[in-house]
Amino acid sequence: MARYTDSVCKLCRREGQKLFLKGDRCYTGKCALVRRESAPGQHGVSRKKKSEYNIQLREKQKARRYYCVLEKQFAEYYEMANRKAGMTGENLLKILESRLDNVVYRLGFAMSRPEARQLVRHGHFTVNGKKVNIPSYLCKGGEVIAVKDSSRSSDKFKAIMEANGSKPIPKWLDLDRNTLQGRVINLPEREDIDLPIEEHLIVELYSK
């Protein structure tokens, strides 16, 4: 399975924004974007005027990298969103938010989306009592996402839950910290998604 294996800090520098792909490190002075704001590569410091296409492309790349989704899968999500009733851009963000790895991250079961993806792949979570190890699984309203019984007492999850003790939980999710179980109350509305993404630019890009 294809996946990005280079430094994720380069992605933040390329987009000029923190994508929070390294957990706690992103909130410290060690963050690569704090230490060096320019994009990677010998031409990273240049300040050329951006074309309309470049602005749209960068917005799409930013959204894709926030959710750790590769190009082909992102295009498939766009087509799925386009077939749904309503605004395509909002539908796209709702689909991305409903991915299991993102829900795990939003519930505070991981320090970052890449870590959530890895933990899901390693089989640490169940959905409605059944083990699911597919990060791209799309959660639905009413489903219960829980840390697997054999994983709850591990030092890994104890450290994660301690670090995320004060992390706010989105209102479209519900969390029981004692049992390490979360529930999808319903799919998020646009105002529930706090990422600085201008989805209309992505729609304009794919509509060309």
Side-chain angles (χ1 to χ4, degrees):
M1 182 180 66
R3 64 189 181 95
Y4 180 82
T5 57
D6 205 348
S7 169
V8 294
C9 292
K10 288 183 179 180
L11 301 182
C12 297
R13 289 177 55 203
R14 182 63 187 87
E15 303 308 330
Q17 289 188 9
K18 289 188 178 185
L19 304 178
F20 301 100
L21 303 175
K22 294 282 284 186
D24 282 345
R25 184 187 180 95
C26 299
Y27 298 94
T28 68
K30 294 181 179 180
C31 173
L33 195 62
V34 174
R35 296 164 63 185
R36 191 174 181 184
E37 294 184 2
S38 61
Q42 61 178 326
H43 303 297
V45 296
S46 63
R47 294 187 177 181
K48 296 179 181 179
K49 183 178 179 181
K50 292 183 178 180
S51 66
E52 179 182 331
Y53 172 77
N54 183 267
I55 293 172
Q56 295 166 349
L57 177 63
R58 294 266 55 87
E59 201 66 21
K60 185 263 292 183
Q61 294 293 75
K62 181 173 68 176
R64 192 171 66 77
R65 288 163 173 171
Y66 263 126
Y67 291 100
C68 306
V69 176
L70 294 179
E71 186 64 47
K72 182 179 178 181
Q73 192 168 37
F74 191 88
E76 291 173 353
Y77 286 150
Y78 178 82
E79 290 301 322
M80 187 187 305
N82 197 31
R83 291 193 297 267
K84 289 178 176 287
M87 299 181 68
T88 300
E90 292 187 9
N91 291 340
L92 175 61
L93 293 183
K94 290 178 182 179
I95 292 171
L96 292 168
E97 280 288 313
S98 67
R99 282 174 54 99
L100 179 57
D101 54 357
N102 180 74
V103 173
V104 164
Y105 168 70
R106 292 290 195 184
L107 286 169
F109 293 150
M111 300 299 294
S112 65
R113 287 183 180 86
E115 183 179 53
R117 178 186 178 89
Q118 183 183 54
L119 291 173
V120 171
R121 290 292 297 170
H122 289 178
H124 290 289
F125 297 95
T126 62
V127 178
N128 292 337
K130 296 182 179 179
K131 187 178 80 170
V132 177
N133 62 358
I134 302 173
S136 61
Y137 174 86
L138 299 181
C139 299
K140 305 174 186 65
E143 289 190 322
V144 176
I145 291 82
V147 178
K148 194 172 62 173
D149 290 343
S150 59
S151 301
R152 290 178 188 174
S153 59
S154 69
D155 293 338
K156 175 71 173 177
F157 280 99
K158 287 180 180 178
I160 290 174
M161 296 309 295
E162 183 177 349
N164 285 338
S166 59
K167 179 181 178 179
I169 305 300
K171 67 180 184 180
W172 56 280
L173 297 173
D174 182 56
L175 172 65
D176 186 333
R177 296 184 185 276
N178 294 322
T179 60
L180 297 190
Q181 287 190 349
R183 184 170 67 89
V184 180
I185 301 173
N186 47 49
L187 294 184
E189 298 299 328
R190 179 61 185 95
E191 59 268 21
D192 300 326
I193 303 172
D194 57 0
L195 297 179
I197 296 173
E198 297 184 61
E199 63 273 13
H200 67 93
L201 294 175
I202 302 173
V203 176
E204 291 171 6
L205 176 67
Y206 278 107
S207 298
K208 288 184 180 297

